[in-house]
Amino acid sequence: METTAAATTTTTTTTVNDGLHSVEVNPLQLILNRAFALIYLFAILALFYHHTLKLLNSTNSFITFSISISILISDLILAFMWSTIQSFRMYPLTRKEYPEKIKNFSNNNFPALDIFICTADPYKEPPLNVVNTALSVLAYDYCPIENVSVYISDDGGSELTLFAFMEAVKFAVYWLPFCRENKIVERCPDAYFSSNYTENSETQKIKLMYESMKTRIENVIERGKVDDDYINEEDRQTFSIYWTAGFTRHNHPSVIQVLLENGKDKDKTGHEMPNLIYLSREKSKSSPHYFKAGALNALLRVSGIMTNAPIVLTLDCDMYSNDPSTPQRALCYFLDQKLWPTLAYVQFPQRFHGLNEADIYASEIKGLFHSNPVGMDGLRGPNYVGTGCFFRRRAFFGSPSSFEQPKIPELFPDHVVNKPIQAQEILQQAHYVASCNYENESNWGSKMGFRYGSLVEDYYTGYRLQCEGWKSVFCNPKRPAFLGDVPISLYDVVSQNKRWSVGLLEVAFSKYSPLTFGVRSMGLVMARCYAHYAFWPIWSIPITLYAFIPQLTLLNGVTIFPKVSDPWFFLYAFLFLGAYGQDCLIFISFQGTFKRWWNDQRIWMIRGLSSFLFGIIEYSTKHLGIATQGFNVTSKVVDNEQGKRYHQGIFEFGVVSPMFVTLATTSIINLVAFLTSIAQIYKGDQNLDGLFIQMFIAGFVVINCLPIYEAMVLRGDKGRMPTRVTIFSTFLAGSLYMAFTFLLRSV
């Protein structure tokens, strides 16, 4: 390993494997992070000492004792979550790769690459978006291009999606050489034609082809069926074989259709084209589906039979490639012989196009997708986030030192496929491994492949792989490798987060909990990183308690925190400013802005009162045997009016949801408490010295709830808070106040 001189006295840079990549560590940052963590830890211990003294000296009623216990529980949870997030800050490092050196290093012969793109619902995930994603990776700069195979998993089993890809193949014949000859960087057609591209006769011709394909696909989606006038006789026979009268999305045979085959299909310039295969795995009402993890395992097996590339890229259907050299960046790590024995995957961050200036829904999720992976990279590597991840196929078949035996030898990672992908025996075996009964009495989902047992199969799979001894790398180039869509409705945001919450709790309270199994398997610090995510939903407990208890006691003139004149007040001030200040500094250091950080912390509170809270409820009812919704696909369809409001920075409510009731109730109680306390202090009925912290909390919540007040009272558009939610929340807020007041005064 070659060590180079650092650029400054505060950084250490190491270049490895003939200069394919380098690692940079900032020693000053490490010292500051650890010093602050130590100081803050002492402050937390002092806080609990104060809590203990207060409880021991308490002679008040049972209700006030209960309030003190509730605040103590909240602070214990906040302290636990703070301590877990410090694990991300113990040894952060950044990497840089040099893909321009790959061609010389590998003699222009890159290892084969299989790309998995998953979709499930043509109405929530428009096939045109999926097509754009596929075209962007079909056009990768890869040597040789015939080593690339793209697999489309359509878990909805929709003929509309297959038709869209039949149209995409016709366009790809022209699009791929156009990108190659003109050195186009934005190889997603929709992104390219939405940019400031060079207009000439060639680009106009390609654009007309794209618009024609787009029109045909959208017309078929609007009709809801593939009419005979849109397909030829050969395609019509394909549809008639599979989509019979008894075909439903939850009960149908496997569908495998080879749309492009390298060695057979060529583009308009005579160059080879990558493989493109459509797959819809077999489903039956009596067999478990395992949601996305089941679809990915079917892809893993079918691709193993047909191409068996050693490198696998997983992509969400809306996450298109934004850089044609991205695979070379991943290879900078996979070709490192020192990393290779234990390297399971290279994870790229999720980044998004179309964000409004303030990112009102905090869709960047900088902690999850940017700052935390940098911290994990200094340990065993980042967690898997479900998309933009290059895997080593071998990692799905056991630990680095042991190997799980699949049923058939063709699925061994080192098996060489030496037959055409449309050979009868290949297709027959591919249908066999895509059957819904193939996994019966096997280790798929437990010791092989993507792991079952959680709705967040990405987090759980990465966690289990690292528990087995695998490591990972975080690759974060300046130009985003992938760009995806963002939800433009608050309901879609909180619904997606609720599903994540349920899945995370399934891991947190399983036999594979990071606090037990994780600590034994990967060590304390790394396990606490995964524990931070697994216990994410319990944020809802302190957030909910702090959203109501200080305010209800404030309305009754009861002091529960130290006075401003009390020395303990400064401890509370330090804990608040320290936690928020550090979070803000880290956010901004990762190319954030203060405005986006403010919305990030606002959404953190909104998630606590909606997604996390209802995620805990759904997880609890599920384990009590009460039916729950399960997996829901987040809608990628953009409504024009919604899109306009989103880019104006206006929150979108619009639907009646229990999750909005808690938000509206919180906003009402905090506003009333804040205004009432100001009036009482002005009249001299109360003393600001004793109620300052409670007033500050209520006022802080009020400022964060401004979009909710606007949606409840001032707006008249379709995205406003539904009147039923406002009325019910007002009634609920009044009931909570009266019930709390009654309890407080009756003891």
Side-chain angles (χ1 to χ4, degrees):
M1 182 177 289
E2 176 189 359
T3 303
T4 63
T8 69
T9 57
T10 59
T11 59
T12 301
T13 303
T14 302
T15 305
V16 296
N17 198 5
D18 295 332
L20 287 180
H21 65 91
S22 61
V23 177
E24 184 177 286
V25 178
N26 188 328
L28 179 61
Q29 182 185 18
L30 298 184
I31 294 170
L32 292 176
N33 285 350
R34 296 175 185 185
F36 176 79
L38 184 63
I39 294 169
Y40 201 88
L41 176 62
F42 281 117
I44 290 174
L45 294 175
L47 175 67
F48 290 127
Y49 174 73
H50 173 66
H51 275 302
T52 304
L53 289 179
K54 189 175 180 180
L55 288 171
L56 290 175
N57 297 326
S58 176
T59 57
N60 294 326
S61 64
F62 174 76
I63 186 66
T64 54
F65 181 79
S66 299
I67 291 171
S68 298
I69 289 294
S70 298
I71 297 298
L72 173 60
I73 291 171
S74 297
D75 289 348
L76 283 169
I77 293 173
L78 290 173
F80 169 74
M81 295 305 291
W82 172 86
S83 70
T84 57
I85 205 171
Q86 297 312 304
S87 299
F88 296 106
R89 298 164 185 170
M90 290 298 99
Y91 197 78
L93 60 81
T94 55
R95 300 179 187 269
K96 185 176 181 180
E97 51 287 330
Y98 307 98
E100 65 277 2
K101 299 181 180 181
I102 282 289
K103 288 187 178 181
N104 295 331
F105 191 84
S106 61
N107 297 320
N108 272 353
N109 189 18
F110 303 161
L113 171 66
D114 287 343
I115 302 173
F116 299 166
I117 301 173
C118 295
T119 184
D121 188 329
Y123 295 103
K124 289 187 177 182
E125 299 171 333
L128 184 64
N129 291 3
V130 191
V131 160
N132 270 280
T133 296
L135 288 168
S136 72
V137 294
L138 283 167
Y140 267 151
D141 283 336
Y142 210 74
C143 299
I145 192 61
E146 53 264 33
N147 275 6
V148 176
S149 300
V150 179
Y151 292 83
I152 309 299
S153 169
D154 176 17
D155 228 30
S158 173
E159 60 181 344
L160 307 179
T161 302
L162 177 56
F163 170 79
F165 276 92
M166 288 177 170
E167 291 296 305
V169 164
K170 301 171 187 175
F171 176 68
V173 171
Y174 296 88
W175 176 248
L176 269 59
F178 172 76
C179 292
R180 182 175 61 247
E181 293 167 0
N182 294 282
K183 295 181 169 40
I184 303 299
V185 177
E186 291 178 316
R187 299 194 176 182
C188 166
D190 191 67
Y192 175 75
F193 291 120
S194 300
S195 66
N196 296 320
Y197 63 93
T198 303
E199 291 199 35
N200 53 45
S201 58
E202 185 183 14
T203 56
Q204 286 302 314
K205 180 180 176 182
I206 294 292
K207 185 176 182 180
L208 285 173
M209 290 181 183
Y210 175 70
E211 292 296 333
S212 175
M213 177 193 73
K214 179 179 177 180
T215 299
R216 287 170 63 84
I217 292 173
E218 290 179 341
N219 286 344
V220 165
I221 299 299
E222 186 177 352
R223 295 183 185 187
K225 62 178 181 177
V226 182
D227 291 328
D228 288 347
D229 55 336
Y230 277 87
I231 53 178
N232 57 34
E233 182 61 33
E234 182 181 351
D235 294 338
R236 190 178 297 111
Q237 289 180 1
T238 299
F239 286 110
S240 63
I241 290 172
Y242 294 110
W243 280 272
T244 58
F247 191 106
T248 67
R249 63 176 299 164
H250 297 301
N251 191 22
H252 62 80
S254 58
V255 181
I256 301 175
Q257 187 68 23
V258 177
L259 300 169
L260 283 175
E261 180 181 2
N262 62 55
K264 178 180 178 183
D265 295 301
K266 302 184 186 302
D267 63 31
K268 76 177 185 72
T269 61
H271 283 80
E272 297 282 345
M273 297 186 75
N275 293 314
L276 178 62
I277 299 100
Y278 170 92
L279 165 68
S280 184
R281 59 184 171 130
E282 183 186 16
K283 285 187 176 181
S284 71
K285 295 179 181 178
S286 60
S287 298
H289 298 161
Y290 298 118
F291 307 116
K292 186 178 176 181
L296 285 167
N297 279 335
L299 279 173
L300 197 59
R301 294 191 298 271
V302 169
S303 66
I305 297 297
M306 302 184 85
T307 50
N308 208 37
I311 309 297
V312 171
L313 166 63
T314 64
L315 277 181
D316 280 348
C317 62
D318 64 326
M319 192 68 61
Y320 67 81
S321 170
N322 190 52
D323 185 347
S325 67
T326 295
Q328 287 92 304
R329 291 189 180 275
L331 290 178
C332 287
Y333 300 105
F334 283 118
L335 294 178
D336 184 341
Q337 295 305 309
K338 291 185 177 180
L339 289 176
W340 175 254
T342 58
L343 181 59
Y345 57 88
V346 176
Q347 177 67 64
F348 288 78
Q350 282 201 45
R351 300 180 72 174
F352 305 95
H353 64 90
L355 287 171
N356 63 8
E357 183 184 358
D359 189 16
I360 57 174
Y361 300 137
S363 297
E364 283 184 308
I365 319 183
K366 276 199 179 290
L368 176 62
F369 296 144
H370 298 273
S371 60
N372 290 352
V374 168
M376 296 178 82
D377 210 6
L379 303 171
R380 298 190 65 87
N383 57 305
Y384 170 43
V385 297
T387 185
C389 188
F390 289 82
F391 281 95
R392 178 183 171 190
R393 185 181 290 268
R394 166 65 180 83
F396 292 111
F397 293 89
S399 70
S401 58
S402 64
F403 187 80
E404 294 293 326
Q405 300 288 334
K407 287 184 180 180
I408 54 178
E410 287 81 1
L411 290 181
F412 280 46
D414 57 355
H415 172 71
V416 178
V417 180
N418 53 16
K419 295 179 181 178
I421 59 175
Q422 294 203 69
Q424 183 178 357
E425 54 268 44
I426 293 290
L427 289 175
Q428 184 177 358
Q429 207 155 32
H431 279 280
Y432 168 61
V433 299
S435 65
C436 56
N437 294 321
Y438 178 81
E439 294 183 358
N440 292 350
E441 298 181 1
S442 74
N443 288 328
W444 282 97
S446 59
K447 296 181 180 180
M448 287 194 299
F450 295 85
R451 305 307 163 88
Y452 305 147
S454 171
L455 286 177
V456 282
E457 81 295 323
D458 46 3
Y459 163 85
Y460 189 44
T461 297
Y463 166 61
R464 290 287 303 278
L465 288 177
Q466 293 194 341
C467 284
E468 291 172 1
W470 293 103
K471 295 182 180 179
S472 59
V473 161
F474 185 57
C475 184
N476 188 15
K478 289 184 178 180
R479 180 179 177 85
F482 305 96
L483 288 174
D485 294 329
V486 292
I488 61 171
S489 159
L490 183 61
Y491 179 74
D492 285 339
V493 172
V494 295
S495 295
Q496 182 184 59
N497 277 266
K498 185 184 74 169
R499 174 169 58 82
W500 292 352
S501 298
V502 175
L504 291 169
L505 289 172
E506 287 173 334
V507 180
F509 296 106
S510 72
K511 67 178 181 178
Y512 296 107
S513 173
L515 293 182
T516 53
F517 183 84
V519 171
R520 295 194 302 269
S521 302
M522 59 174 62
L524 179 63
V525 179
M526 189 66 182
R528 288 174 68 82
C529 291
Y530 275 102
H532 178 76
Y533 292 133
F535 290 93
W536 235 8
I538 69 171
W539 279 118
S540 64
I541 298 172
I543 290 174
T544 303
L545 291 175
Y546 268 108
F548 289 100
I549 290 178
Q551 296 76 3
L552 291 171
T553 52
L554 184 62
L555 284 168
N556 286 275
V558 177
T559 301
I560 61 173
F561 294 111
K563 297 178 180 180
V564 176
S565 56
D566 189 331
W568 287 109
F569 169 82
F570 296 100
L571 174 65
Y572 279 83
F574 171 76
L575 289 170
F576 176 84
L577 294 175
Y580 266 76
Q582 186 189 39
D583 187 67
C584 182
L585 287 174
I586 290 174
F587 187 96
I588 292 174
S589 70
F590 281 85
Q591 300 179 329
T593 64
F594 180 80
K595 184 183 290 187
R596 288 195 172 188
W597 170 79
W598 178 263
N599 284 312
D600 184 83
Q601 66 83 30
R602 187 209 309 270
I603 291 296
W604 172 74
M605 289 196 288
I606 287 175
R607 288 198 302 257
L609 291 163
S610 56
S611 311
F612 296 162
L613 179 61
F614 282 84
I616 289 176
I617 294 171
E618 186 170 316
Y619 170 79
S620 302
T621 55
K622 179 180 178 181
H623 282 263
L624 291 173
I626 302 172
T628 56
Q629 292 180 343
F631 184 88
N632 290 315
V633 176
T634 303
S635 177
K636 309 298 191 305
V637 178
V638 178
D639 176 87
N640 289 334
E641 289 300 315
Q642 281 187 4
K644 184 178 179 180
R645 288 191 289 270
Y646 172 74
H647 288 291
Q648 291 174 344
I650 299 173
F651 273 63
E652 185 76 23
F653 295 91
V655 298
V656 177
S657 169
M659 288 189 283
F660 291 163
V661 171
T662 56
L663 294 178
T665 303
T666 301
S667 65
I668 292 169
I669 285 180
N670 279 267
L671 180 62
V672 172
F674 184 66
L675 295 178
T676 301
S677 60
I678 289 178
Q680 289 175 342
I681 291 170
Y682 179 77
K683 290 189 294 184
D685 297 337
Q686 293 290 343
N687 187 347
L688 178 62
D689 183 51
L691 299 177
F692 179 82
I693 294 181
Q694 287 156 271
M695 287 186 63
F696 176 82
I697 294 172
F700 187 72
V701 174
V702 166
I703 293 173
N704 276 285
C705 288
L706 290 178
I708 300 175
Y709 301 131
E710 181 186 25
M712 292 169 66
V713 180
L714 301 178
R715 288 167 53 187
D717 55 72
K718 291 182 180 179
R720 71 188 302 272
M721 184 74 78
T723 304
R724 279 186 291 170
V725 172
T726 302
I727 293 173
F728 184 77
S729 299
T730 304
F731 171 77
L732 183 58
S735 300
L736 284 172
Y737 168 71
M738 288 188 290
F740 187 85
T741 302
F742 174 78
L743 288 172
L744 199 63
R745 295 177 180 176
S746 63
V747 292

